[in-house]
Amino acid sequence: MCRRFERMLVDENKKNEEKNEKLLEDLCECYLLLNEGISSELSSKIVPCLLKVALKKEENEEIQKEVEIALLALNNIESVAFIEQKLYMKEITEIIKYHQEHHNLTQLAYQSAWGFLIDRLGIDKSLKEVIVNELHFVRDAISELEYLMKCVDWTRKKEEERRGRERRGKEAKEVQTIFKWLFILDSFFEYCTLWSEELVVLINSIVKVFQAARENNREISVFCVHSLRDAVKYGSVKVEDLLKGGAFDAVLEGLQLQSLDEGMSFRGLNYFLIVTRKMKKKTDVDDDEMEEEEEEEKNGVNKDETEKEAKRKELKGKVLEKIEEEGYEDVITSFHEMFDFLNRKYYDELSLDISDYFVNV
């Protein structure tokens, strides 16, 4: 079917005066919703066509639906697909800025617009400045999460027994949109290391979603912990930001739930594994930055190393104190040893106490 749509797209684009614009739009949407992959040749036809639809600003239900579907289709393009900036940058920027001022898009459409742009970060790092400083993504993500969280009744059972068959596999639209925002944030944390003070507030917003969903929607709560882990793993936020945002307390509370399952226990312990490994480094930065700082130190350029080291030790003390208070120190140590075990090629290099570590886990 995808091949058929592709042939129809090519044929319709070859037409001049007889070109059916509505048919072309429908073909583009169907093709993307069925197929994540897109060639550079097709992207030059599909992306401008759907952005033209998404730029419509009439405030009526029919137009809103057209815009929503067009943006949903664009958001389905896989993140590894290269699309030239000239095909989308001006239009997607206008769509986001116009909504920020006039609130003309649906929640799902706006999330899809951001999803399309954030996915381009994976290949085009030059977008970081625009996304963070011009379009204020972090501020918008905070606002959207806070709003959507209030729209959901987190105390309600996910499925009522008498409606089980009718509602199975379905979730509230707001919950689905929260899920999509968490996926976008995960990509943002992976590809964008442009730090801002707003990130502490964003961490706190993710924590609030986690706390609201942990008893009722395990999938969302587990993915919140996954996002918090990736935020520090890829260097988007500092360990200090996680502490200020309440992430440590929240994850520790999640590990103590009576309904704790394998997904939450793994994500929670893996979160602390990444954090404690991060704190072993001299500074809370990635490996490339560490090499630069070490070189500067050798050359006498880095004058603040003593102060940085003191701050790092203080932060490490606070984190370890929290972990020790809840009795997770041995378990996390075990997790470190277990991951080292899985990564080693020669078993004769393993610790003599490896069996004790596996028992603790």
Side-chain angles (χ1 to χ4, degrees):
M1 188 175 287
C2 285
R3 290 178 182 174
R4 184 179 178 186
F5 282 138
E6 188 173 336
R7 286 197 300 269
M8 292 172 71
L9 268 169
V10 173
D11 292 341
E12 195 63 33
N13 267 295
K14 287 179 181 177
K15 297 178 182 178
N16 294 318
E17 295 180 2
E18 299 178 1
K19 188 182 296 184
N20 186 331
E21 295 291 342
K22 185 66 176 73
L23 173 61
L24 193 57
E25 293 165 9
D26 291 342
L27 287 171
C28 290
E29 289 168 356
C30 289
Y31 181 81
L32 287 185
L33 291 171
L34 285 173
N35 181 43
E36 294 177 347
I38 182 172
S39 65
S40 57
E41 182 183 355
L42 275 178
S43 69
S44 65
K45 298 177 175 63
I46 291 176
V47 173
C49 175
L50 293 184
L51 283 173
K52 183 179 178 181
V53 178
L55 280 165
K56 293 180 180 179
K57 297 179 175 65
E58 296 89 337
E59 294 187 12
N60 64 67
E61 190 174 342
E62 184 178 345
I63 294 298
Q64 274 198 331
K65 197 67 179 175
E66 288 181 19
V67 170
E68 184 177 82
I69 293 173
L71 287 171
L72 271 171
L74 285 169
N75 191 26
N76 203 47
I77 298 175
E78 59 186 350
S79 59
V80 295
F82 175 74
I83 303 173
E84 293 183 274
Q85 274 197 33
K86 65 181 182 181
L87 294 177
Y88 66 85
M89 198 63 210
K90 180 182 176 182
E91 290 79 5
I92 201 70
T93 300
E94 181 181 341
I95 289 167
I96 290 173
K97 285 185 173 180
Y98 190 85
H99 176 79
Q100 288 172 342
E101 185 176 350
H102 301 281
H103 304 285
N104 64 308
L105 300 175
T106 64
Q107 295 288 328
L108 186 56
Y110 190 50
Q111 173 271 317
S112 298
W114 269 121
F116 169 78
L117 185 55
I118 295 294
D119 274 347
R120 311 281 71 77
L121 260 176
I123 292 178
D124 190 353
K125 297 295 191 298
S126 69
L127 295 171
K128 291 191 292 186
E129 285 285 347
V130 175
I131 288 171
V132 175
N133 295 326
E134 183 180 339
L135 297 178
H136 307 288
F137 169 74
V138 177
R139 181 189 65 191
D140 272 16
I142 294 167
S143 177
E144 292 294 310
L145 283 178
E146 297 279 351
Y147 173 79
L148 288 164
M149 193 169 57
K150 293 175 183 177
C151 295
V152 179
D153 180 6
W154 297 104
T155 63
R156 186 183 61 223
K157 293 289 185 182
K158 188 176 178 182
E159 287 187 343
E160 296 175 15
E161 186 65 31
R162 61 189 179 85
R163 295 183 183 176
R165 292 184 179 179
E166 298 175 15
R167 298 187 57 180
R168 188 172 294 131
K170 296 181 180 179
E171 292 184 73
K173 195 172 184 179
E174 291 84 0
V175 173
Q176 291 178 340
T177 309
I178 289 174
F179 238 130
K180 289 176 180 290
W181 270 108
L182 291 173
F183 274 101
I184 290 174
L185 285 170
D186 202 49
S187 296
F188 174 75
F189 290 142
E190 181 174 357
Y191 300 127
C192 185
T193 54
L194 199 60
W195 188 86
S196 73
E197 292 183 359
E198 290 179 322
L199 283 168
V200 176
V201 184
L202 178 58
I203 291 298
N204 187 246
S205 294
I206 297 173
V207 167
K208 288 178 182 176
V209 174
F210 168 75
Q211 291 172 329
R214 64 189 177 190
E215 295 286 0
N216 184 257
N217 194 308
R218 187 50 54 87
E219 292 86 359
I220 282 185
S221 61
V222 167
F223 202 81
C224 283
V225 178
H226 176 83
S227 293
L228 293 170
R229 182 207 68 174
D230 282 358
V232 72
K233 175 182 177 181
Y234 295 112
S236 302
V237 303
K238 306 170 184 176
V239 174
E240 183 179 357
D241 298 333
L242 294 177
L243 196 63
K244 290 179 179 177
F248 285 96
D249 289 329
V251 177
L252 284 170
E253 290 168 9
L255 287 172
Q256 296 168 358
L257 292 174
Q258 290 185 351
S259 55
L260 183 68
D261 60 11
E262 290 182 2
M264 180 58 72
S265 59
F266 173 79
R267 295 295 185 192
L269 291 171
N270 194 238
Y271 163 86
F272 283 112
L273 172 75
I274 297 298
V275 169
T276 50
R277 279 184 172 174
K278 198 78 171 176
M279 289 189 301
K280 284 184 177 181
K281 296 183 178 181
K282 293 185 68 176
T283 54
D284 190 21
V285 295
D286 61 31
D287 294 332
D288 293 336
E289 291 176 8
M290 279 185 65
E291 289 177 6
E292 290 177 11
E293 288 195 5
E294 287 171 359
E295 187 64 31
E296 288 175 351
E297 187 178 1
K298 288 178 185 177
N299 298 329
V301 177
N302 194 342
K303 306 295 184 182
D304 301 321
E305 191 59 38
T306 303
E307 184 180 339
K308 287 181 179 179
E309 181 64 14
K311 186 177 179 181
R312 187 186 72 83
K313 286 182 178 179
E314 181 184 358
L315 175 63
K316 184 176 179 180
K318 289 180 181 179
V319 172
L320 293 178
E321 185 180 350
K322 282 184 176 292
I323 295 172
E324 289 170 9
E325 283 177 1
E326 303 299 337
Y328 284 100
E329 184 182 16
D330 289 340
V331 179
I332 293 163
T333 301
S334 304
F335 225 48
H336 275 279
E337 193 75 12
M338 183 180 72
F339 271 76
D340 289 341
F341 170 81
L342 295 173
N343 290 327
R344 295 198 186 195
K345 295 181 180 179
Y346 303 104
Y347 296 132
D348 58 348
E349 294 181 9
L350 290 173
S351 165
L352 294 174
D353 300 320
I354 188 67
S355 59
D356 294 334
Y357 285 113
F358 280 123
V359 170
N360 284 336
V361 174

